Amino acid sequence: MKTGNYNRLWRWHFYAALFIAPLLITLTLSGIGYLFYTNVENKAYDHLFFGKNGTTEKLTIDEGIEKAIEQNKGYSISKVIVLDDPYNTRLTMTNKDGDQKYVFLDDHNEVIGTQNAKYTFSNIMREIHSSLFVGGTVVNYLVELAACWAIFLLFTGLYMTFKGRAFKKRKNPSKRQKSKKWHALVGTIITIPMIIIIFTGLPWSAFMGNFIYSAAQNHPSIGIPTLKQQPPTSDMSEIPWATRKNKAPSSEGSNEHHGGMAMSDKPNQSAMMSIEQLMDKVDEAHIQKPYSIIYPATEEGVYTVSKGSNTGVTGLDVSPYDEMTSYFDQYNGNLISKVGYEDYGILAKWFTWGIPLHEGHLFGWPNKIINLTVCLSFLLVIFWGMKTWLARKRKGEISAPPVASKGVSVSFILFMVILGLLMPLFGLSLIAVAIVEGIIYLTNK
């Protein structure tokens, strides 16, 4: 009879799987949906992405923007996304309540149509995947915790597979033994790729994501380079992960034009460069499509022009090597500063590659197929795990694995400490689990 570490890990593996399986299934299915969001959106939004208004008159980009504002009262432009042909230009419009619309302009800069940003396929999949479409700190932490415990399940599954000799040949194996063997076999095969997928998604998480980002900010040699100008402010989603929380440097001439307005003052759009003029400046800076233009938020703000490897916008993603964020003076269009992939430290570079790997578009269709295969296999592992438990479950009982008959070993503590340090939120959750397990152990002693 197995005791000590095996029973303890088996017991924790069982309860963790029982509690987080619904979350893991939801995250995996939404992850599969997000994996193919560009393919879905290209078909579902074909008219908006590629359609034409039919008019022969060609407007300037600024005239097209003015038309969009006239047709969407109460909304103002916050972002312009300039994509490669044959994609139409996409405007992001926001009202005072924070609601967003996407408005599309054709190659003549005529309005094609609008979308409610909250209910696009990509945003729905992303919201389900990151916050179960509910949002809030508690839910975000719960999702991250499920991902961390999934890593625990994979590691403990490996231990039990080889310690328990799950691959041992048996004469006339029962259905439970067959399910257990498949659960162990497929789980073993996908352990490494699944851990890679989970870890490359953690930079977007609530707790560990902020921890990673802070480390990258505080240690420029390994993370994000410090700009010589005023630290960045813009946190728009199209700005690359490595610079998404940076403050944009100040524009020159704001005091000259506007008498030294406070930072909280909104920009005077009549004094700003037009988007068409800015796009000429962008061309002069040898920045090629696709890119996004984020409007200045204040009198002293700047135009932010960025290319990202993980934007979440169909048609906007670029190679990690091409990722960059640049800042243009809103009054004269001068390029103030530019941060590119080559300026990142090793940590920022790692996640600049890791996030698109996680999202399935780092190296085209093969990336999608590999991620899809791993995700489907993970669902099968959950299915066979549940089937194994139900096959031994007694009616009216939960049939949990037996309580460990021995005390906690040094190796067990070391394993948990390492996982807790690698995943801080997981480490905090272990305190609650250890207290409950300790009470159960003392009660049964």
Side-chain angles (χ1 to χ4, degrees):
M1 183 179 178
K2 300 178 184 72
T3 57
N5 283 348
Y6 186 94
N7 276 2
R8 183 169 288 105
L9 289 175
W10 182 18
R11 188 176 176 84
W12 285 29
H13 184 96
F14 169 79
Y15 278 116
L18 199 62
F19 285 118
I20 70 171
L23 260 178
L24 292 180
I25 292 170
T26 302
L27 294 177
T28 304
L29 290 174
S30 59
I32 291 172
Y34 192 77
L35 201 59
F36 295 96
Y37 82 86
T38 54
N39 309 93
V40 172
E41 291 195 335
N42 280 334
K43 295 291 185 183
Y45 311 138
D46 176 79
H47 175 63
L48 294 173
F49 283 7
F50 311 109
K52 307 302 174 189
N53 183 280
T55 59
T56 55
E57 180 187 4
K58 186 162 186 177
L59 305 178
T60 66
I61 180 72
D62 297 283
E63 289 171 339
I65 289 171
E66 284 303 314
K67 267 198 171 183
I69 293 172
E70 289 173 11
Q71 293 178 18
N72 296 275
K73 301 295 184 183
Y75 284 80
S76 59
I77 299 287
S78 58
K79 203 179 317 178
V80 178
I81 296 176
V82 184
L83 301 171
D84 278 326
D85 292 335
Y87 283 101
N88 289 327
T89 298
R90 191 179 94 168
L91 311 178
T92 299
M93 304 187 71
T94 310
N95 66 12
K96 63 181 181 179
D97 298 321
D99 299 322
Q100 284 192 337
K101 284 183 178 181
Y102 298 145
V103 181
F104 294 84
L105 307 180
D106 66 10
D107 55 354
H108 283 188
N109 294 313
E110 291 282 359
V111 175
I112 294 296
T114 64
Q115 285 180 315
N116 184 329
K118 186 176 181 180
Y119 297 110
T120 63
F121 181 80
S122 58
N123 286 346
I124 289 173
M125 289 297 105
R126 181 165 52 238
E127 286 300 307
I128 294 174
H129 193 65
S130 63
S131 58
L132 307 179
F133 212 69
V134 176
T137 303
V138 174
V139 175
N140 290 336
Y141 281 5
L142 186 63
V143 169
E144 182 177 346
L145 204 53
C148 293
W149 276 94
I151 290 176
F152 169 82
L153 289 175
L154 291 164
F155 277 131
T156 53
L158 271 183
Y159 172 83
M160 291 186 294
T161 293
F162 293 102
K163 184 72 173 179
R165 301 175 68 187
F167 299 145
K168 180 182 177 182
K169 288 185 178 181
R170 291 178 171 86
K171 291 182 179 180
N172 301 318
S174 64
K175 288 184 178 179
R176 176 178 174 271
Q177 287 171 334
K178 287 179 181 178
S179 294
K180 183 179 178 181
K181 187 173 182 177
W182 279 111
H183 177 72
L185 177 61
V186 178
T188 299
I189 293 170
I190 68 166
T191 290
I192 292 177
M194 197 67 205
I195 287 173
I196 291 172
I197 287 177
I198 293 171
F199 264 111
T200 50
L202 286 178
W204 286 123
S205 61
F207 189 91
M208 194 168 175
N210 282 332
F211 178 80
I212 294 169
Y213 193 83
S214 296
Q217 286 280 69
N218 295 331
H219 303 283
S221 61
I222 63 167
I224 303 160
T226 305
L227 293 175
K228 293 180 180 180
Q229 294 82 6
Q230 179 185 348
T233 62
S234 191
D235 63 353
M236 299 303 203
S237 61
E238 281 74 25
I239 291 180
W241 178 86
T243 55
R244 79 183 194 277
K245 291 187 180 178
N246 289 352
K247 288 189 176 181
S250 302
S251 290
E252 296 177 4
S254 57
N255 292 341
E256 177 184 340
H257 284 282
H258 305 286
M261 301 296 286
M263 279 293 290
S264 59
D265 291 337
K266 294 181 180 179
N268 182 344
Q269 294 198 2
S270 64
M272 292 164 56
M273 285 193 74
S274 69
I275 292 297
E276 188 163 357
Q277 289 172 322
L278 176 65
M279 289 173 68
D280 289 337
K281 293 289 186 178
V282 171
D283 287 340
E284 288 175 16
H286 305 292
I287 298 172
Q288 298 179 335
K289 300 176 185 179
Y291 55 79
S292 60
I293 301 171
I294 296 95
Y295 276 61
T298 66
E299 288 283 342
E300 296 184 7
V302 295
Y303 278 115
T304 303
V305 178
S306 67
K307 298 164 73 75
S309 63
N310 49 273
T311 66
V313 176
T314 299
L316 189 59
D317 292 327
V318 299
S319 162
Y321 289 122
D322 296 328
E323 184 168 297
M324 71 86 208
T325 304
S326 56
Y327 306 102
F328 289 82
D329 189 291
Q330 66 170 297
Y331 305 110
N332 58 34
N334 289 339
L335 175 61
I336 300 173
S337 62
K338 182 178 177 181
V339 180
Y341 174 82
E342 66 278 1
D343 301 309
Y344 296 172
I346 189 170
L347 184 62
K349 284 181 177 177
W350 171 259
F351 286 111
T352 299
W353 284 88
I355 294 172
L357 176 69
H358 176 89
E359 294 179 344
H361 56 82
L362 180 61
F363 48 89
W365 271 98
N367 194 167
K368 291 183 188 291
I369 298 303
I370 290 170
N371 286 23
L372 176 63
T373 302
V374 173
C375 288
L376 292 176
S377 299
F378 188 57
L379 291 175
L380 285 175
V381 169
I382 295 173
F383 167 75
W384 279 313
M386 288 294 179
K387 195 174 178 183
T388 302
W389 167 55
L390 292 173
R392 70 177 180 82
K393 183 181 178 299
R394 297 191 212 48
K395 189 175 181 180
E397 297 180 17
I398 195 169
S399 300
V403 177
S405 60
K406 294 182 180 179
V408 180
S409 68
V410 174
S411 59
F412 179 84
I413 293 173
L414 190 61
F415 171 67
M416 290 301 182
V417 167
I418 292 171
L419 283 185
L421 290 174
L422 289 173
M423 300 178 292
L425 193 61
F426 172 81
L428 291 174
S429 72
L430 282 179
I431 297 173
V433 175
I435 291 172
V436 172
E437 187 73 2
I439 291 171
I440 294 172
Y441 176 77
L442 292 173
T443 304
N444 290 281
K445 193 171 180 181

